[in-house]
Amino acid sequence: MSTILPLSKHLQEQFNNYSITELITINNDIVDRDGWGTSRSTFRHAILTALVKKGIDLSPIISREDGFSSIQIVKLRLENNVLIPLRQ
């Protein structure tokens, strides 16, 4: 009997092998496209987790208010090891 990995765990393992540039490109493609449904958040979470593991600062796209955290769904660019949101 084979073991099936949950999609999120599988994606995180795969994205750990991608370069920072590749991860940012995938993020920007995901943000641009409609029709992802609930899978979009799973993919994006795995991408952002891989970027954090590579030492990238995500603080410019994260806001915390009243005990809740939210992450902007925006295109990104890298500047001095920090993700910068691109305004559309």
Side-chain angles (χ1 to χ4, degrees), residues 7 11 15 25-47 73:
L7 178 60
L11 290 172
F15 286 151
T25 299
I26 294 169
N27 174 80
N28 293 347
D29 287 346
I30 288 173
V31 168
D32 259 354
R33 299 209 190 337
D34 291 331
W36 275 83
T38 58
S39 297
R40 178 164 119 170
S41 64
T42 303
F43 272 79
R44 190 142 189 276
H45 179 266
I47 291 165
I73 301 174

Side-chain angles (χ1 to χ4, degrees), residues 2 7 15-16 20 22-23 26 32 34-35 38 47 51 53 63 68-69 73 83 85:
S2 67
L7 178 60
F15 286 151
N16 287 336
I20 292 169
E22 289 172 319
L23 292 168
I26 294 169
D32 259 354
D34 291 331
T38 58
I47 291 165
L51 287 166
K53 286 182 179 179
S63 62
F68 292 96
S69 296
I73 301 174
L83 285 181

Side-chain angles (χ1 to χ4, degrees), residues 29-82:
D29 287 346
I30 288 173
V31 168
D32 259 354
R33 299 209 190 337
D34 291 331
W36 275 83
T38 58
S39 297
R40 178 164 119 170
S41 64
T42 303
F43 272 79
R44 190 142 189 276
H45 179 266
I47 291 165
L48 296 178
T49 300
L51 287 166
V52 167
K53 286 182 179 179
K54 294 179 183 297
I56 302 301
D57 180 5
L58 276 65
S59 62
I61 64 167
I62 299 174
S63 62
R64 292 175 177 87
E65 189 175 321
D66 294 332
F68 292 96
S69 296
S70 63
I71 301 173
Q72 298 175 39
I73 301 174
V74 293
K75 288 185 172 187
L76 305 167
R77 67 179 169 82
L78 187 65
E79 185 176 302
N80 298 322
N81 223 33
V82 176

